[in-house]
Amino acid sequence: MARPMLYLLAFALALLVYSSVASAEIVEHSFHVQDLTMSRLCKQQVITVVNGSLPGPTIQVHEGDALIIHVFNKSPYNLTIHWHGIFQLHSAWADGPEYVTQCPILPGNKYTYRFTITGQEGTLWWHAHSQWLRATVHGALIIRPRQGYSYPFLKPFEEFPILLGEWWNANIIEIEEQALADGHGPNISNAFTINGWPGDLYNCPSTGTYKLKVVRGETYLLRIINVALYSELFFKIANHKMTIVAVDACYTNPMVTDVIVISPGQTIDALLTADQPLASYYMAAHCYDSLGDAYDATTTTGIVTYENATPSSPLMPNLPAVDDTSAAFEFYSSLTSLVNGPHWAPVPLEIDVHMLVTEGLGLVPCGANNTCGAPLGLQFAASMNNESFELPTKLSMLEAFYYNLTAGIYTTNFPKYPPVVFDYTSLSNNLNKALVMTSRSTKVTKLKYNSTVQIVFQNTALVGQQSHPVHLHGFNFYVLAQGFGNYNPVTGQKMFNLVNPQIRSTVGVPVGGWIVIRFTANNPGMFSLLYNVFTLA
């Protein structure tokens, strides 16, 4: 009998089992997806939402529960829902990425997702995985310990999801289509948001502000999620410190900080103790952008108000500078996992597959247009090892694999190493046509089932030098080390944390730098990364 194989596929734009005798339940919800007119920034805008709200409904389950979600697509767009960070053990068909694990749900149609939450606790989220609908089609997915079990930290007084997002005074699908047609970057958002509200620093008296009431002396669990499309964010609460206890539904050693940095798709569980004088305090977030001017330069706010506080103007936190890469790196590189905590497993030491994957922007010919808006009159295309992933349109990749109909859908020759070795982080190469040109393809790399995979993600300076998030579907991975410049295998390995490295499913590759991850390919299915797609059958 043939051994199951894992496939890695460059998606350029872009496992662990726990059992218990404790009871589990079936949790069932219905998602009605449709267009709705909402008012933000003193403007009426039609957006696509779930069950009439932004963010959409919070799904709450316990580890071991079975989740059933009926999705009714009443919107004018094709649609799928992805359960960001869920392993999907034995349920790869439910993962959700369009044309990876399923064909889209057409307007007027419905689809039911069924899967079991296995070996995971903490904060994750769900979102649309078709075009850019995830900008408004998203919500929190909270996984509590099984009945009879507890957190590995003091139980909080209350819990609050904090979703950090974006708002556009335009139709997000039209923005995406215009950017693709013109070949340049998309229009930046008009505002950042906290739980769907921009806050009161914008030039609109009725814009709306998220408010959180606390009792002095109590401790609260903030389940922070970055649901923005591409913006990394600094987040801070005036005069308060937070204690990080989990990231991406993986418990961490408690880490005290006064500022959080969070990449798109990441989640952070942070304990907040209300230990300041009775007053009101802003929570605030703005962009982290190494270029300093590429994204929305505004600041979103919410208000933390102490019970019985005298009404007053909220105190404002001092956020890091937008381009403070040192602050971002310090936060990202300081996290460690909670050894012997729930669902923890030691780092595998034997490596079967090594990969070095360059990631960043590239350029492709302009297509039907004579001139596009990217440099050199070309079109932007995110690139990994000079391959820019193109989704199939006739059949999902998982279905193609299952029925052995892969011809014309994808090929199995994605390179494990870049085609050319060069000074990846030198700004002198940013528009070198011999290096910056990429090609569109649908390629995968085969990996044997149960193999241990180590990937070095190397950021490049091609076109522009920025931090880029990478999200792996179906797996968590160990973040062994990260640094700046070109990865050196001799000095890099000396930095490896093989004892208690942070465990995540989404990570930001440092600006002009690298990051090393390791995982075991032991979850059958077709799984994708933001930048990559993994399949295991």
Side-chain angles (χ1 to χ4, degrees):
M1 182 177 180
R3 294 190 66 189
M5 304 296 289
L6 175 80
Y7 296 100
L8 166 66
L9 176 163
F11 189 30
L13 167 198
L15 305 172
L16 173 97
V17 178
Y18 175 85
S19 63
S20 169
V21 295
S23 62
E25 297 181 353
I26 296 175
V27 179
E28 193 166 3
H29 291 269
S30 291
F31 281 9
H32 297 271
V33 186
Q34 60 194 83
D35 282 358
L36 184 71
T37 300
M38 281 194 175
S39 179
R40 298 289 189 274
L41 304 179
C42 295
K43 178 180 171 59
Q44 298 266 312
Q45 180 60 49
V46 177
I47 63 172
T48 306
V49 297
V50 174
N51 294 356
S53 66
L54 177 70
T58 296
I59 303 299
Q60 303 192 48
V61 296
H62 290 87
E63 194 272 331
D65 285 352
L67 191 55
I68 300 175
I69 307 288
H70 307 286
V71 178
F72 299 86
N73 186 8
K74 303 173 184 178
S75 81
Y77 309 109
N78 291 350
L79 176 80
T80 63
I81 301 293
H82 169 55
W83 314 94
H84 191 107
I86 293 294
F87 293 153
Q88 298 293 357
L89 292 170
H90 310 297
S91 56
W93 295 98
D95 195 45
E98 183 182 51
Y99 287 115
V100 177
T101 60
Q102 69 173 102
C103 291
I105 309 167
L106 300 180
N109 284 262
K110 63 181 180 180
Y111 184 82
T112 297
Y113 293 90
R114 291 181 172 88
F115 54 92
T116 300
I117 312 294
T118 304
Q120 296 181 276
E121 297 175 17
T123 304
L124 295 173
W125 64 300
W126 57 265
H127 61 84
H129 212 294
S130 303
Q131 296 182 279
W132 286 0
L133 289 174
R134 74 179 187 276
T136 54
V137 179
H138 57 244
L141 174 53
I142 295 172
I143 309 167
R144 294 190 172 84
R146 285 191 183 228
Q147 300 284 358
Y149 289 75
S150 61
Y151 298 125
F153 50 82
L154 188 65
K155 184 179 179 180
F157 183 68
E158 282 188 87
E159 304 178 9
F160 298 100
I162 304 292
L163 280 68
L164 306 176
E166 295 168 290
W167 177 268
W168 279 262
N169 283 332
N171 181 288
I172 191 64
I173 299 300
E174 292 177 1
I175 291 175
E176 177 191 17
E177 291 173 347
Q178 188 63 51
L180 293 173
D182 294 345
H184 57 63
N187 293 338
I188 61 175
S189 58
N190 296 98
F192 290 116
T193 59
I194 296 177
N195 287 345
W197 298 101
D200 55 15
L201 298 187
Y202 292 90
N203 188 25
C204 175
S206 60
T207 187
T209 303
Y210 172 71
K211 296 180 181 179
L212 190 159
K213 181 165 281 190
V214 297
V215 176
R216 194 173 192 278
E218 298 293 353
T219 297
Y220 300 84
L221 179 59
L222 305 183
R223 298 181 178 273
I224 305 166
I225 309 170
N226 185 344
V227 301
L229 286 182
Y230 301 114
S231 296
E232 294 183 80
L233 296 167
F234 286 116
F235 175 82
K236 199 169 183 178
I237 301 175
N239 290 16
H240 289 75
K241 291 188 176 181
M242 294 167 282
T243 301
I244 310 302
V245 292
V247 295
D248 295 354
C250 298
Y251 291 115
T252 64
N253 286 311
M255 187 179 89
V256 178
T257 182
D258 67 345
V259 64
I260 282 173
V261 194
I262 185 167
S263 287
Q266 287 185 334
T267 72
I268 294 176
D269 288 356
L271 295 175
L272 170 71
T273 299
D275 57 3
Q276 294 300 301
L278 300 183
S280 292
Y281 302 85
Y282 275 127
M283 63 172 70
H286 73 196
C287 192
Y288 161 53
D289 170 26
S290 58
L291 295 181
D293 61 357
Y295 290 110
D296 187 337
T298 66
T299 300
T300 182
T301 55
I303 299 176
V304 178
T305 299
Y306 280 65
E307 188 175 79
N308 299 322
T310 301
S312 61
S313 297
L315 299 176
M316 187 69 185
N318 184 23
L319 287 161
V322 171
D323 58 354
D324 193 342
T325 291
S326 61
F329 185 81
E330 174 68 21
F331 179 87
Y332 284 141
S333 60
S334 297
L335 294 162
T336 54
S337 64
L338 184 63
V339 173
N340 295 322
H343 315 297
W344 179 84
V347 181
L349 300 180
E350 299 295 326
I351 304 169
D352 300 304
V353 179
H354 289 267
M355 298 183 70
L356 172 62
V357 179
T358 57
E359 51 83 46
L361 278 176
L363 298 172
V364 293
C366 204
N369 293 337
N370 293 323
T371 304
C372 282
L376 307 179
L378 299 171
Q379 185 171 2
F380 285 127
S383 177
M384 301 186 75
N385 284 353
N386 283 71
E387 300 288 344
S388 185
F389 181 70
E390 189 166 48
L391 281 167
T393 57
K394 299 178 181 178
L395 197 66
S396 78
M397 298 174 69
L398 182 58
E399 189 173 5
F401 177 84
Y402 186 82
Y403 289 108
N404 196 26
L405 299 172
T406 58
I409 304 298
Y410 65 86
T411 59
T412 58
N413 58 339
F414 178 80
K416 291 186 174 70
Y417 297 93
V420 178
V421 177
F422 62 99
D423 187 350
Y424 304 116
T425 60
S426 172
L427 292 172
S428 65
N429 284 323
N430 72 325
L431 290 179
N432 183 337
K433 281 195 82 170
L435 301 172
V436 77
M437 299 302 295
T438 187
S439 59
R440 300 193 186 280
S441 62
T442 311
K443 295 182 178 181
V444 306
T445 295
K446 289 185 179 181
L447 302 170
K448 288 184 178 180
Y449 173 77
N450 220 31
S451 59
T452 299
V453 184
Q454 181 170 296
I455 304 177
V456 178
F457 287 107
Q458 174 67 61
N459 187 238
T460 73
L462 300 179
V463 183
Q465 199 171 62
Q466 290 178 292
S467 172
H468 293 285
V470 175
H471 167 54
L472 173 57
H473 295 198
F475 301 85
N476 286 333
F477 50 75
Y478 301 91
V479 181
L480 301 186
Q482 51 194 301
F484 295 103
N486 296 315
Y487 177 72
N488 183 309
V490 176
T491 59
Q493 289 184 47
K494 294 179 180 178
M495 299 169 61
F496 282 10
N497 178 356
L498 300 175
V499 178
N500 63 348
Q502 60 181 286
I503 305 171
R504 313 200 67 136
S505 65
T506 306
V507 71
V509 181
V511 177
W514 50 270
I515 198 162
V516 182
I517 72 168
R518 189 180 295 179
F519 68 98
T520 301
N522 57 3
N523 181 11
M526 173 80 69
F527 297 106
S528 61
L529 274 159
L530 181 66
Y531 265 96
N532 278 17
V533 173
F534 287 77
T535 73
L536 187 59

